[in-house]
Amino acid sequence: PRRSRRRKSITIAYEPEQGDGVEPQRPRWEPKDWREQLERIREMRRNRDAPVDEMGVDKCYDSSAPPQVMRYQVLLSLMLSSQTKDQVTSAAMLRLRQRGLSVDSVLQMDDATLGQIIYPVGFWRNKVKYIKQTTAILKQKYGGDIPSTVEELVQLPGVGPKMAHLAMNIAWDSVSGIAVDTHVHRITNRLKWVKKETKYPEETRVALEDWLPRDLWREINWLLVGFGQQTCLPVNPRCSQCLNQDICPAAKRH
């Protein structure tokens, strides 16, 4: 005899229309204590004295350059910053800017010269190749500017999702998503800001965007990167100095 299967009833949470006061039927998942944890991290970051504050990508471009050149410099600093300390990226960008950093100046530069200038950024040989390829595409396809969508940015050689979201934020002043690097990935997993543990930054981005209010998306990268550089270190995190030690799932309580 066929067993009758009970149909599962699915509740659909509708976005409330403005002014109608209808609450979504299903409360969205959110992490325990996250608002308090966020406030305490803001407090710890109040001095803005981490490497990212002084030498982060948003400090590496020439703010007096024409908008198109400025945007190109933002993208280049993001490409250089991958798996490289802010101090090293900042120094490499300064050397490039001293030569008048633009699409045309990079296209005119031979690979050996470009390599000498950006060394010792991580994977500098690959980055020379990616920078030259991407710069040529920008010249041919975008008139020397950078694309204004995440979809087009991630098509460029050497540009990943984190860089694309940061480029949208810094170069185009547009919040397209949360930029998740190793610091954001590590810290949000430690705080259990993801429903279940994530293995890759891109997984973390999707998990965070599912619940974190959109008005916090711009701030979260800058906030957590500096926190990760100073307190929530990859190895031997300074839990005893952290204001969240009593409400952090990963805190080492002695």
Side-chain angles (χ1 to χ4, degrees), residues 202-248:
E202 193 53 8
E203 259 185 285
T204 306
R205 179 185 67 77
V206 173
L208 287 174
E209 287 178 5
D210 191 50
W211 67 268
L212 189 72
R214 199 179 174 98
D215 60 351
L216 299 173
W217 288 11
R218 189 189 290 264
E219 176 191 20
I220 212 75
N221 176 271
W222 162 82
L223 200 64
L224 295 186
V225 169
F227 179 54
Q229 289 174 333
Q230 293 182 307
T231 308
C232 200
L233 307 174
V235 182
N236 301 322
R238 296 169 177 156
C239 297
S240 61
Q241 297 170 24
C242 180
L243 299 179
N244 276 325
Q245 58 178 307
D246 60 327
I247 52 170
C248 173

Side-chain angles (χ1 to χ4, degrees), residues 91-157:
M93 279 298 293
L94 193 61
R95 292 192 294 274
L96 281 167
R97 280 172 52 192
Q98 283 165 350
R99 290 172 170 251
L101 178 55
S102 67
V103 164
D104 290 332
S105 72
V106 168
L107 288 175
Q108 286 159 15
M109 209 179 280
D110 62 67
D111 289 12
T113 305
L114 182 56
Q116 283 169 354
I117 298 171
I118 69 169
Y119 180 85
V121 299
F123 304 101
W124 61 274
R125 286 187 182 85
N126 284 342
K127 288 177 184 175
V128 166
K129 187 175 70 184
Y130 293 145
I131 287 168
K132 292 301 281 280
Q133 288 171 348
T134 284
T135 306
I137 292 168
L138 298 181
K139 177 81 171 173
Q140 291 156 13
K141 195 172 171 186
Y142 298 99
D145 209 336
I146 73 169
S148 59
T149 67
V150 170
E151 292 72 29
E152 290 172 294
L153 283 162
V154 294
Q155 307 267 316
L156 298 168

Side-chain angles (χ1 to χ4, degrees), residues 52-66:
V52 71
D53 301 306
E54 291 151 29
M55 291 169 266
V57 166
D58 59 335
K59 301 282 188 291
C60 287
Y61 62 86
D62 178 4
S63 56
S64 65

